[in-house]
Amino acid sequence: MSSHTSDGHGPPGQTTLIGEDEAEDLLRCICFKTGPPRLVGVELEWLLHDRDRPHLPVPHDRLEAAATAVRALPLNAALTFEPGGQLELSSRPAGSLMACVNDMAADLVAVRDALGRLDLAPAGFGVDPWHPPRRLLRRPRYDAMEAAFDRSGPAGRAMMCTTASVQVCLDAGEEEPGPLGYGRRWQLSHLLGAVLVAAFANSPFRLGRPTPWRSARQSLWADLDPLRTLAPAGQMPPREAWAAHVLDTPVLCIRDDEGPWAVPEGLTFRDWIRRGEPRRPVRADLDYHITTLFPPVRPRGHLELRMIDAQPGDDGWLVPLAVTTALFDDPEAAETVYRTVKPLAESAGPLAAPRNPLWTAAARDGLTDPELRAAATTCFDLALEALPRRGATRAVQDAVAGFRDRYVARGRCPADDLGERLTADPHLGPAHPKGALS
């Protein structure tokens, strides 16, 4: 889930009404802010587990103590907590890959030290392997979200309370066509995104048992809502496609200064504008509505790539960050990777991600799928060629090369290692190999 400040969870606080034409114009203007790609960011979610007995649930009072300790740290990143107590660090936009890596690495050293003093540790799993959903945060937003998602089944509560990810944030791209153009990057993100799901899948266990998925996290996202987690359907240009998708997706909630927030069923934002009930929407309602949409790639001026499972090890997170940044922002790599993944569109078919055959195969099969394995092999080779051009240190290059050799070259992903270890010992804690920045 995306990072939110507490102020963003309140009622609108504005009185300027918004009409349908104005909403469409705003969405087309604000969702893709174009220019040469130069900024990068990352959002890291972590499950919090007992350091020595991760299969045992952590009592609420210990999680509260952990939150207090981490909030007291002078961090570069923004700190938030998700409904199940997951810790999230959202970096500031950085002017280079290494600036982003170094800032986040320094914050994580401080966070791990503070948690370690409480015998807790941040755990890199896409889905909690052991624990059922347990919502700790009681806010109107999460009350409404739970009520809305419950209409589609149990996946919503599991997503809210037991999942964690690595989200890479990149500039939308240039206005002009070409390898760095925003239209190309939008299309690339939905094809390369499936390769990233497969390569970094890391959630094969749930509720103490193996699942049919290498990324059970991705399967939960695909299941939790009929429209809210889908990419825009059809072949419209990106701006028009996203504007239509936002307006034609049902409103999750209608905020109110008093009492519980309304959770309408089937009321799209376009319908809300036209009907003007239960109250007429304002600009802040549109802004808030966007934060309740969870597609694999969310345009918010920049692109949020939301499909990558949280990774094992202290520094596992930097591999997807480095690979994704290199493939999108290096012009030479971007041109070649686009040609590499473009044939995947045939496997995807007409259905929107993540509910098409390509994304389903990525979540279920990982890199045992021959087509995804071939694409991942080329993508990692291209990333390794591009990383020196992007200023990556030898340590980061070695981390990416090590991941390629351990997983991609062997048609494996982190879920394969984790599944084998947990099958052998269901109570086993996560491995914490020394990372590239140790």
Side-chain angles (χ1 to χ4, degrees):
M1 297 173 60
S2 64
S3 172
H4 302 285
T5 63
S6 58
D7 290 341
H9 290 163
Q14 295 182 9
T15 58
T16 304
L17 301 177
I18 190 167
E20 190 171 344
D21 291 342
E22 181 188 0
E24 289 179 343
D25 289 343
L26 280 169
L27 289 166
R28 284 192 289 264
C29 291
I30 66 177
C31 54
F32 294 93
K33 296 179 181 178
T34 54
R38 63 184 185 87
L39 297 178
V40 58
V42 68
E43 299 179 15
L44 303 180
E45 295 172 336
W46 302 90
L47 301 164
L48 297 185
H49 285 167
D50 186 282
R51 185 170 53 189
D52 300 316
R53 298 174 297 173
H55 60 286
L56 297 180
V58 179
H60 195 173
D61 61 329
R62 290 184 66 193
L63 291 175
E64 287 285 355
T68 299
V70 176
R71 287 191 181 107
L73 298 173
L75 302 174
N76 291 305
L79 170 70
T80 52
F81 289 89
E82 296 294 340
Q86 308 98 308
L87 180 152
E88 179 174 347
L89 294 174
S90 302
S91 75
R92 298 177 182 178
S96 69
L97 169 63
M98 287 312 305
C100 184
V101 167
N102 291 333
D103 283 351
M104 186 60 77
D107 282 352
L108 285 170
V109 168
V111 168
R112 288 193 179 94
D113 182 63
L115 294 174
R117 290 194 291 270
L118 299 171
D119 294 323
L120 297 173
F125 299 112
V127 171
D128 193 310
W130 302 286
H131 307 133
R134 177 182 57 155
R135 186 155 69 94
L136 302 178
L137 296 186
R138 298 291 168 181
R139 295 177 181 170
R141 174 185 176 89
Y142 299 132
D143 292 343
M145 189 178 292
E146 185 175 271
F149 289 157
D150 280 351
R151 293 170 180 158
S152 301
R157 294 191 183 211
M159 178 280 294
M160 291 171 64
C161 300
T162 65
T163 65
S165 69
V166 175
Q167 296 181 24
V168 180
C169 300
L170 301 169
D171 282 329
E174 298 174 344
E175 188 71 29
E176 298 77 15
L180 300 183
Y182 80 95
R184 174 77 64 84
R185 286 161 73 87
W186 179 247
Q187 185 179 5
L188 174 64
S189 66
H190 289 92
L191 295 174
L192 179 60
V195 180
L196 299 175
V197 170
F200 296 110
N202 187 40
S203 47
F205 259 63
R206 185 165 172 257
L207 301 175
R209 297 184 296 274
T211 76
W213 304 91
R214 283 171 169 81
S215 178
R217 173 183 166 273
Q218 189 60 53
S219 75
L220 290 170
W221 278 107
D223 285 348
L224 68 87
D225 184 277
L227 290 174
R228 195 170 308 281
T229 60
L230 291 183
Q235 301 298 319
M236 287 191 294
R239 287 191 174 103
E240 287 72 16
W242 180 247
H245 182 69
V246 170
L247 294 180
D248 293 331
T249 298
V251 173
L252 186 142
C253 60
I254 296 178
R255 298 173 293 166
D256 198 329
D257 289 310
E258 300 177 1
W261 294 357
V263 185
E265 188 166 4
L267 178 71
T268 69
F269 202 93
R270 195 186 303 276
D271 291 338
W272 188 14
I273 292 174
R274 291 175 177 178
R275 296 177 189 175
E277 296 176 349
R279 62 170 173 80
R280 296 182 65 187
V282 298
R283 163 69 188 272
D285 290 314
L286 178 63
D287 295 338
Y288 192 80
H289 176 56
I290 294 172
T291 74
T292 69
L293 306 183
F294 308 114
V297 184
R298 183 164 60 183
R300 302 186 69 183
H302 59 279
L303 300 180
E304 291 179 350
L305 281 75
R306 307 169 47 82
M307 71 289 294
I308 302 169
D309 281 0
Q311 295 296 289
D314 288 354
D315 301 324
W317 57 272
L318 70 82
V319 176
L321 171 62
V323 168
T324 306
T325 303
L327 294 178
F328 271 84
D329 287 359
D330 183 82
E332 184 178 340
E335 179 63 37
T336 308
V337 76
Y338 178 74
R339 294 198 301 267
T340 298
V341 302
K342 190 175 181 180
L344 297 177
E346 185 174 344
S347 298
L351 297 179
R355 294 202 194 116
N356 62 45
L358 175 67
W359 281 69
T360 300
R364 183 187 60 229
D365 303 328
L367 295 187
T368 65
D369 180 283
E371 189 177 32
L372 288 164
R373 178 180 180 177
T377 299
T378 301
C379 289
F380 269 75
D381 289 344
L382 290 170
L384 284 166
E385 293 173 5
L387 282 170
R389 299 193 292 265
R390 308 309 301 171
T393 62
R394 173 53 59 183
V396 170
Q397 295 176 55
D398 287 347
V400 173
F403 189 100
R404 178 199 59 185
D405 295 343
R406 180 174 182 176
Y407 296 116
V408 179
R410 301 167 61 202
R412 292 173 63 86
C413 59
D416 295 312
D417 283 0
L418 178 59
E420 290 171 359
R421 293 174 59 247
L422 290 178
T423 299
D425 184 352
H427 294 168
L428 199 61
H432 291 287
K434 291 295 182 181
L437 302 183
S438 299

